[in-house]
Amino acid sequence: MVFRRKIYDKMFKWKNGHNGRTALLIKGARRVGKSTIVKEFAQKEYKSFILIDFANISKEVNGWFNDLTDLDYFFIRIQQFYKVVLHKRESVIIFDEVQLQPLARQAIKYLVADGRYDYIETGSLLTLKRNVKNIVIPSEETRITLYPMDYEEFRWALGDEVSMELAKSNLVGLHPFGDAVHRKMMRDFRLYMLVGGMPQSVDTYISTNNLEMVDEVKRGIIELYEDDFRKIDPTGRASKVFSSIPAQLTCNASRFNISGAVEGGRLENMESVLAYMEDSMTINMAYHANDPMVGMNLHRNVSRYKMFMADTGLLPRACLERSDKPRSYMRPEHIAGGSGDRAHAVL
């Protein structure tokens, strides 16, 4: 299922505002829906498009990026291979998972200068930063970030386009909702806290109305992230830190205890690991500010921080994964807070 996302308006603004002068680079964590939204945008806003998925590409096509001195020949070959006719200034070429072919990203400079077509790139921020050795990073990129679905996008996915507008109006006008409406809105919000904003999780909830199946989807995403962490840090420290987030948030400590996550871990020897994790956009770091006034970054204390999972729905799954209790004890109200009536009905 394709969901309505706020980033679509930013993409539309880029298309009409830049008119091919830059390529659009959409970055974000894995499984947040980058490829889906880009394909939807290309289908709706262009006469034709070609999507080159570097995670699933033939050696022949991949080799074309080694030499792009003859762009006319390149465009002829690409149209013949994908059996799509490209139209000048009415077509877009998509480089999906562009971090897997750095030469394609480097070629953006020359492709944009050619001016015939638009270009959209997608990739994980972490690997985009790592896979740039020996290439010239193009300055002809407009970069935007895609995050998991926020609460308003979640309500849109459930077919509710009224509640958030009503909430905004009441908040601006300082009008009370009333107890019954307030209770319902809080139950709906707890459902979002439980399901989360990963499009695959939301799609599973809508199609099955079964939180157990949603949990299975989220478990797969968590395992995917942990596998990625093991790739960037073979020592396993990043994976251990990620796995310890639920336990760290449960305790009353004022900061994340790195030694509690990794034996013998200290901030000075974990800085690169934490930087990789933050770049992956799978976590959110909340730093302590010694003076919480305007310009808090000026007073940020990098040695004191809390770490959260980037998607709220992954935390309940991680709690179940790490808990020694049977799953029947981990009721929704224990995880998300409150009554959890709607979640109980599903379970």
Side-chain angles (χ1 to χ4, degrees):
M1 183 182 295
V2 178
F3 299 114
R4 178 184 172 190
R5 304 296 301 272
K6 293 178 180 178
I7 197 175
Y8 194 99
D9 293 336
K10 296 180 181 179
M11 298 169 69
F12 188 79
K13 183 178 179 181
W14 160 80
K15 178 180 183 294
N16 292 312
H18 290 260
N19 196 30
R21 294 189 301 272
T22 67
L24 180 65
L25 173 62
I26 299 180
K27 55 191 181 181
R30 298 182 66 183
R31 298 294 181 90
V32 294
K34 298 186 296 294
S35 301
T36 301
I37 192 67
V38 166
K39 187 175 180 180
E40 181 194 20
F41 183 79
Q43 289 173 333
K44 289 184 176 180
E45 306 298 337
Y46 290 91
K47 191 172 182 178
S48 66
F49 72 95
I50 290 176
L51 189 150
I52 303 176
D53 183 0
F54 290 108
N56 182 25
I57 188 174
S58 69
K59 291 183 179 180
E60 178 186 358
V61 177
N62 206 37
W64 293 347
F65 292 90
N66 293 322
D67 182 7
L68 290 179
T69 53
D70 188 347
L71 288 180
D72 291 334
Y73 185 44
F74 171 75
F75 291 133
I76 289 174
R77 287 194 294 181
I78 202 173
Q79 291 178 83
Q80 288 177 336
F81 185 89
Y82 286 97
K83 296 180 174 57
V84 173
V85 176
L86 295 174
H87 305 273
K88 187 175 182 179
R89 301 303 320 133
E90 294 183 303
S91 297
V92 61
I93 299 176
I94 302 167
F95 293 158
D96 199 16
E97 304 293 350
V98 71
Q99 73 276 3
L100 299 178
Q101 176 46 289
L103 292 177
R105 189 180 180 198
Q106 178 177 258
I108 285 296
K109 175 181 179 67
Y110 309 102
L111 294 171
V112 167
D114 175 73
R116 272 177 266 191
Y117 314 112
D118 283 352
Y119 300 90
I120 300 178
E121 310 162 87
T122 73
S124 164
L125 181 59
L126 174 63
T127 44
L128 279 173
K129 285 190 172 184
R130 290 171 64 86
N131 296 346
V132 294
K133 292 181 180 179
N134 303 319
I135 73 164
V136 177
I137 299 176
S139 59
E140 296 79 8
E141 286 179 337
T142 297
R143 305 177 187 183
I144 56 178
T145 303
L146 180 62
Y147 299 96
M149 298 169 68
D150 63 22
Y151 181 57
E152 187 170 19
E153 291 174 324
F154 179 74
R155 296 308 309 169
W156 292 342
L158 296 183
D160 177 9
E161 299 197 10
V162 177
S163 294
M164 290 306 298
E165 292 300 322
L166 174 65
K168 293 175 185 177
S169 175
N170 282 23
L171 286 171
V172 170
L174 300 179
H175 302 306
F177 291 102
D179 291 342
V181 174
H182 183 265
R183 282 196 298 270
K184 180 184 182 305
M185 294 182 73
M186 290 306 298
R187 284 198 300 267
D188 291 343
F189 182 69
R190 292 186 193 109
L191 177 66
Y192 169 69
M193 297 290 287
L194 194 60
V195 175
M198 302 301 280
Q200 190 178 0
S201 301
V202 177
D203 186 29
T204 302
Y205 174 74
I206 292 173
S207 59
T208 67
N209 202 37
N210 187 319
L211 288 181
E212 187 172 355
M213 295 187 69
V214 173
D215 271 349
E216 291 302 310
V217 171
K218 292 189 289 185
R219 182 173 66 177
I221 295 173
I222 290 173
E223 290 175 350
L224 176 68
Y225 287 168
E226 290 178 342
D227 288 343
D228 286 345
F229 287 138
R230 292 187 188 98
K231 290 179 183 178
I232 65 171
D233 178 35
T235 65
R237 293 177 299 172
S239 179
K240 289 179 180 178
V241 170
F242 184 75
S243 300
S244 72
I245 291 177
Q248 294 269 353
L249 292 175
T250 301
C251 67
N252 269 333
S254 62
R255 70 181 77 182
F256 192 92
N257 181 12
I258 197 70
S259 61
V262 179
E263 186 176 354
R266 297 191 303 274
L267 181 62
E268 53 268 25
N269 59 24
M270 291 289 292
E271 286 182 346
S272 61
V273 172
L274 295 177
Y276 286 149
M277 295 182 69
E278 196 167 6
D279 285 345
S280 73
M281 299 185 67
T282 58
I283 64 166
N284 287 329
M285 299 284 281
Y287 292 97
H288 175 79
N290 295 321
D291 186 5
M293 301 296 288
V294 175
M296 286 195 294
N297 271 340
L298 298 174
H299 307 280
R300 185 173 70 170
N301 186 341
V302 295
S303 65
R304 295 185 62 185
Y305 55 87
K306 283 278 194 175
M307 187 182 299
F308 303 87
M309 290 185 175
D311 177 57
T312 178
L314 296 182
L315 184 60
R317 175 64 252 180
C319 288
L320 293 172
E321 199 75 22
R322 309 302 169 190
S323 175
D324 294 329
K325 295 180 180 180
R327 289 188 59 176
S328 58
Y329 286 90
M330 299 297 290
R331 304 298 294 174
E333 66 269 27
H334 298 155
I335 301 170
S339 63
D341 295 342
R342 187 169 179 182
H344 274 299
V346 178
L347 289 174

